[in-house]
Amino acid sequence: MLPRIVTGLLMAIAAIALTGYGPAWGSYVLFQLAAFVLADEFYGIVLGPDARRERWVGMGYIAGVTAVAWWAPAWAHTILILGAPILLTTALFSSAPVHILGPRSAFLVTGAYYLGLPLACLMDITATTNGPHYLLALFATIFAGDTGAFFAGRFFGRTKLYEKISPNKTREGLVGGALASILGFFIVIRLFELPIPTTDAALLGLGCGLAGAIGDLAESMFKRSFNVKDSGAKLPGHGGLLD
């Protein structure tokens, strides 16, 4: 438990320092690095070690989406639209057996939008008025929700949430995580005096917290489908960055 808590705190401090108090390019560096790591972990799970060319193309594409969304946001929609044909062409002209090409191309395109679209949206948030503070509110909501779900599930968990996907998650943990998400969102918006009404803040915190829980289950689905325990080993107590 201790490595998980320490890692989470260090990640939170880094995120706050770079996005809330650091230079504008600090957020870009954070997300560009995250794009490479997330893409590497995701494609490592779903494509396996034999698809090195496709894996590098997918990583390059997702990193490209992040760069374009930051440096030339008007072109972000264009590069997202071009993702499918670029990645399908990469998989199509491959030396792999035909029965592998279909699943491989599907996972390439899935990864592009599973990771590329959220990263582009984060760039949009950063570019708005008070963008870094809204970004911190989002981070706080997700971090608080994850922590709240962990402790609520550990101490009060009785009923399994979705056992075939994630045997350790409970409904009590989901409720605890949702409440912690609302609290995390409230703390940041009050700290930075962001202009969000109380009811809207509660709904946004709840929505982001539930979306985070669904995202966690989706990632567990990918890992369980490919018999992978963690997406990586970069973050003690958590696994990989995707985890």
Side-chain angles (χ1 to χ4, degrees):
M1 184 186 296
L2 183 60
R4 181 185 182 93
I5 295 173
V6 172
T7 301
L9 287 174
L10 291 176
M11 288 176 63
I13 291 170
I16 291 170
L18 285 172
T19 60
Y21 298 98
W25 52 264
S27 297
Y28 172 70
V29 171
L30 177 68
F31 289 120
Q32 190 67 81
L33 178 62
F36 276 114
V37 176
L38 290 170
D40 179 50
E41 291 179 352
F42 178 77
Y43 286 129
I45 292 172
V46 301
L47 296 181
D50 297 331
R52 295 184 63 185
R53 181 175 71 100
E54 290 83 355
R55 185 173 176 176
W56 278 104
V57 171
M59 290 168 59
Y61 172 76
I62 292 170
V65 169
T66 305
V68 170
W70 177 268
W71 297 106
W75 290 91
H77 294 93
T78 301
I79 192 170
L80 285 168
I81 291 170
L82 291 175
I86 291 172
L87 296 171
L88 287 172
T89 301
T90 301
L92 178 64
F93 295 100
S94 169
S95 60
V98 174
H99 71 276
I100 293 177
L101 296 183
R104 184 173 290 182
S105 62
F107 282 123
L108 269 173
V109 175
T110 297
Y113 297 101
Y114 176 59
L115 299 175
L117 185 58
L119 286 165
C121 290
L122 290 175
M123 297 294 98
D124 283 343
I125 294 173
T126 306
T128 62
T129 303
N130 292 321
H133 294 155
Y134 284 119
L135 207 59
L136 285 179
L138 176 61
F139 285 164
T141 302
I142 300 302
F143 289 158
D146 184 58
T147 304
F150 177 78
F151 284 106
R154 185 178 183 87
F155 293 110
F156 305 107
R158 297 290 184 273
T159 309
K160 297 296 184 182
L161 177 63
Y162 197 7
E163 191 168 6
K164 75 174 183 179
I165 296 295
S166 190
N168 294 326
K169 288 183 173 56
T170 63
R171 295 180 184 178
E172 293 81 3
L174 178 66
V175 173
L179 294 175
S181 293
I182 296 172
L183 178 61
F185 195 83
F186 264 110
I187 289 173
V188 175
I189 67 167
R190 291 294 177 260
L191 181 63
F192 293 105
E193 299 181 345
L194 298 175
I196 302 178
T198 300
T199 302
D200 292 349
L203 291 174
L204 283 168
L206 177 62
C208 290
L210 292 177
I214 292 171
D216 195 21
L217 286 172
E219 196 237 355
S220 295
M221 174 187 67
F222 283 120
K223 291 190 298 183
R224 190 163 291 276
S225 297
F226 290 90
N227 197 29
V228 174
K229 184 179 185 298
D230 294 317
S231 65
K234 302 175 184 69
L235 301 173
H238 290 266
L241 188 60
L242 194 61
D243 297 317

